[in-house]
Amino acid sequence: MATAEQLKLLVKAHYENDYTRFDTLLIQVAASEAQKGHVALARDLKSLIEKGKKNSSKIQYIDPEIEGLITVRSSTYRLADLVVSKDVKDNLVNVIKEYENRTKLAQFGLMNRRKILLAGKPGTGKTLTASVLATELQLPLCIIHTDKIMTKYLGETSQKLSKIFDYMANFEAIYLFDEFDSIASERNFNNDVGEIRRIINSFLQYIESNDSGFIIGATNNPQLLDSAIFRRFDDVIIYKLPDAAQRKKLIKNTLGQFWNSEIDLIQVGKISEGLNHAEIVNVCKDAIKETILSDLERVNENVLIKNIDKKIKTYSWEK
């Protein structure tokens, strides 16, 4: 294993963002382990180094001019983690397949779908979908903070949009515009009608001219969007509340190692009707925490039902 001195130098290089030094030290550790006869460990370390080099090529620092408008994240969520309808999943499979075969499509003058609008109620998996696509397409996930783009000052919103799309032209990634309707149908500021129209027109032009970034717009209120917006997207995917089968799958998947085979999934599937994906996940996590604190290994059905009832009452109150 690495010596104490090597470990200290590795940690130092990591926190100083000295990636070249970090790689060099790791190579030295791998070579040292190989000399000791730890061939498998040395091979694994070298494999991690190569993988890290590939991933590092996809990381880019945010331009100070747009710092705060964009957050870059990595993702580990896979398509299998997304519990949605067959129609939604089929659409996403097509998006992934087209991206993987974009060179083949280009030979026939065709572009892969790369401007996707996700529409539906809150908590139905739209944001998670962006994370899933980032993982499946092996791209960073860039979250655009739309609340910080929109301002009351004349022309400033368009300037911010311009800087974001300039960034997109130089950095391939998944760009998520969450709460997309705040840009495409803004009515909250004291802008005149002409300014609102200029913002929408600017955004439409940027989308039209974009040929590198993978744009995902997510909205809870598609009815608020300007009608011209829909035509600029390659695909519109509609998200709905989970049906009984999806609710049962979500519950079982989320409980994981705490799943209890004695739980009546049909029963809990019925009583959880009306909850969205995020609420069901939170219900299960609450049940798991209660189970852990009770020093039990499996979630009791009564505990799960109690938490579902509590969430439904809250949900009803919010409505």
Side-chain angles (χ1 to χ4, degrees), residues 5 78 84 97 116 125 171 213 223 268 288 293 305 310:
E5 186 61 26
R78 306 305 300 260
V84 288
K97 187 176 182 179
I116 314 296
F171 184 38
Q223 70 277 5
V268 296
I288 289 172
L293 295 177
I305 290 175
K310 180 180 177 182

Side-chain angles (χ1 to χ4, degrees), residues 25-267:
L25 288 165
L26 205 53
I27 290 170
Q28 291 174 359
V29 172
S32 176
E33 294 302 318
Q35 290 176 354
K36 296 175 183 176
H38 303 156
V39 180
L41 176 57
R43 184 174 60 247
D44 289 344
L45 287 173
K46 289 179 180 177
S47 175
L48 288 170
I49 293 168
E50 290 303 315
K51 184 177 180 181
K53 286 181 178 178
K54 288 181 181 179
N55 291 337
S56 65
S57 66
K58 296 179 179 178
I59 300 300
Q60 177 169 319
Y61 289 107
I62 299 294
D63 187 317
E65 289 191 348
I66 58 173
E67 190 171 4
L69 300 180
I70 299 179
T71 298
V72 182
R73 294 179 182 172
S74 59
S75 171
T76 58
Y77 288 106
R78 306 305 300 260
L79 192 58
D81 298 321
L82 195 60
V83 180
V84 288
S85 69
K86 185 179 183 300
D87 287 343
V88 169
K89 188 154 286 190
D90 286 346
N91 272 322
L92 296 177
V93 168
N94 287 335
V95 170
I96 295 167
K97 187 176 182 179
E98 287 186 9
Y99 180 83
E100 292 173 343
N101 293 277
R102 60 194 182 281
T103 303
K104 184 177 181 179
L105 292 174
Q107 293 173 354
F108 294 88
L110 298 171
M111 292 287 292
N112 62 291
R113 277 179 276 190
R114 54 189 175 79
K115 292 176 284 188
I116 314 296
L117 179 63
L118 311 180
K121 293 184 177 182
T124 49
K126 300 186 297 296
T127 304
L128 180 58
T129 292
S131 296
V132 167
L133 287 175
T135 303
E136 297 293 346
L137 303 184
Q138 298 182 17
L139 292 172
L141 173 61
C142 292
I143 299 175
I144 313 299
H145 301 290
T146 53
D147 59 322
K148 296 181 180 178
I149 293 176
M150 303 304 298
T151 72
K152 63 183 178 181
Y153 300 108
L154 187 67
E156 187 174 337
T157 296
S158 294
Q159 290 176 5
K160 289 182 177 182
L161 283 172
S162 176
K163 290 175 182 178
I164 287 173
F165 276 88
D166 285 344
Y167 180 83
M168 291 169 62
N170 298 297
F171 184 38
E172 186 181 17
I174 299 289
Y175 290 89
L176 172 64
F177 288 81
D178 207 359
E179 298 184 5
F180 181 66
D181 42 278
S182 66
I183 292 178
S185 61
E186 180 58 38
R187 298 292 187 274
N188 295 328
F189 294 104
N190 294 322
N191 308 75
D192 59 29
V193 174
E195 176 66 3
I196 294 169
R197 178 52 52 186
R198 280 191 289 273
I199 291 171
I200 294 175
N201 287 340
S202 294
F203 193 80
L204 292 176
Q205 290 171 7
Y206 292 137
I207 291 181
E208 287 280 6
S209 61
N210 173 65
D211 58 3
S212 57
F214 201 109
I215 299 173
I216 296 180
T219 176
N220 300 331
N221 303 292
Q223 70 277 5
L224 297 180
L225 296 180
D226 187 283
S227 58
I229 291 291
F230 290 93
R231 298 194 296 273
R232 280 8 185 240
F233 283 94
D234 301 321
D235 207 347
V236 178
I237 304 177
I238 306 299
Y239 288 70
K240 297 180 179 180
L241 292 176
D243 60 23
Q246 292 167 26
R247 293 195 298 275
K248 288 187 285 186
K249 186 175 182 180
L250 268 174
I251 290 169
K252 192 170 182 179
N253 287 355
T254 307
L255 291 181
Q257 70 183 80
F258 293 93
W259 164 250
N260 187 340
S261 59
E262 294 182 1
I263 291 176
D264 185 345
L265 268 180
I266 296 177
Q267 172 69 4

